Amino acid sequence: MGVLRVVFLGPPGAGKGTQAKFLEQKFGACLVGTGEILRKAVRERSPLGRKAVQYLDRGDLVPDHVMVKLVAERLRARDCQSGFILDGFPRTIAQADGLEPMLKDIGLALDSALCIQAPNEVIIQRLSGRRTCKVCGSLYHVVFDPLARAGKCDRCGGELYQREDDREEMIAARLRVYESQTAPLKEYYCRRGLLKEIDGVGNVEEVRNRVFRALGAVAT
Ligand code: AMP
């Protein structure tokens, strides 16, 4: 398998970010994680961050035109010419409609829309225990991942923290947003023959093997 051009769909906590990082390592494709880009912008108080913060704090979606512009700029960069993995975009039909002309512009077509599924009780358990590295965005879990107990990122030494929107009271709101605005994308990509549904229940290696199988790649 050569150049990879995929989008990840699926509810928050299904494992998109974790699996996207594996694909980045295996294929050397450019990982565009819109949530991570927005959180960094908020930390740096950039103009994008100042626009986005109110939405992130409520678990709402940042407006489509802001996101489409952000991703269009990112995909035009040189490093994305050797493949890309979109994690967290598109999240609405309007964003998916915005992505199509962008890809045409740069002459790249999508290979697959990988949708990782998991039931709500699994998602709630994962998100409420999730810890994120402040510096590199690596993901840990306080129960499933002994490394998280040190409070420091094993990869870069950065401080681990709990995202505001991973607090229990915010999770239900994000799941509602997912169901109403993002879940319809499954049908959108199914109609285009690109949807690959992946069972997200199990440990990260099990899910990784399913993702690699769905892509026709060997999971080593
Ligand atoms: P994530 O890290 O993917 O869970 O995203 C965290 C938050 O960033 C979301 O709850 C939204 O507020 C915002 N966000 C990330 N990606 C998008 C997107 N494609 N469209 C709108 N908002 C987004």
Side-chain angles (χ1 to χ4, degrees):
M1 168 123 215
V3 175
L4 190 72
R5 291 168 302 235
V6 296
V7 300
F8 269 103
L9 306 174
K16 302 184 298 292
T18 301
Q19 300 302 330
K21 284 196 172 76
F22 281 136
L23 292 187
E24 179 190 28
Q25 278 164 18
K26 185 165 173 90
F27 294 97
C30 170
L31 172 56
V32 180
T34 47
E36 199 51 47
I37 294 174
L38 293 170
R39 280 188 290 281
K40 184 161 179 274
V42 169
R43 278 200 299 277
E44 290 170 353
R45 297 192 168 81
S46 71
L48 172 67
R50 287 200 298 273
K51 243 185 262 171
V53 65
Q54 51 179 317
Y55 301 99
L56 268 85
D57 280 353
R58 290 198 304 259
D60 273 346
L61 297 184
V62 174
D64 290 331
H65 69 275
V66 176
M67 297 310 299
V68 168
K69 182 164 176 271
L70 174 82
V71 172
E73 279 165 14
R74 191 64 195 85
L75 286 184
R76 251 184 253 120
R78 218 191 153 78
D79 55 341
C80 288
Q81 295 302 307
S82 51
F84 58 81
I85 303 152
L86 286 175
D87 166 23
F89 183 96
R91 245 174 163 107
T92 63
I93 300 278
Q95 291 181 13
D97 282 341
L99 178 62
E100 286 197 348
M102 264 183 234
L103 295 177
K104 254 196 208 113
D105 255 15
I106 53 177
L108 298 174
L110 216 54
D111 306 317
S112 316
L114 300 167
C115 182
I116 309 187
Q117 313 269 17
N120 282 0
E121 60 271 22
V122 171
I123 285 171
I124 291 163
Q125 190 190 31
R126 284 185 186 163
L127 291 180
S128 54
R130 178 159 78 176
R131 296 294 180 271
T132 306
C133 173
K134 251 185 189 159
V135 180
C136 73
S138 288
L139 300 170
Y140 297 84
H141 192 281
V142 287
V143 178
F144 309 135
D145 200 343
L147 294 169
R149 288 181 209 130
K152 291 244 176 291
C153 177
D154 188 48
R155 292 173 193 103
C156 77
E159 187 193 335
L160 303 187
Y161 78 112
Q162 182 175 38
R163 280 168 48 177
E164 269 312 308
D165 60 353
D166 280 347
R167 293 185 193 280
E168 230 160 315
E169 57 279 17
M170 291 281 294
I171 295 173
R174 289 167 68 204
L175 286 173
R176 278 197 300 276
V177 168
Y178 172 77
E179 277 310 323
S180 65
Q181 308 212 47
T182 311
L185 285 175
K186 278 191 275 180
E187 201 196 316
Y188 182 99
Y189 284 113
C190 186
R191 267 194 266 120
R192 286 158 176 75
L194 293 173
L195 184 71
K196 294 191 172 123
E197 290 189 89
I198 292 154
D199 176 9
V201 178
N203 64 36
V204 290
E205 285 75 27
E206 287 165 336
V207 180
R208 180 183 58 179
N209 289 340
R210 291 177 203 138
V211 170
F212 284 167
R213 265 202 306 276
L215 291 170
V218 182
T220 49

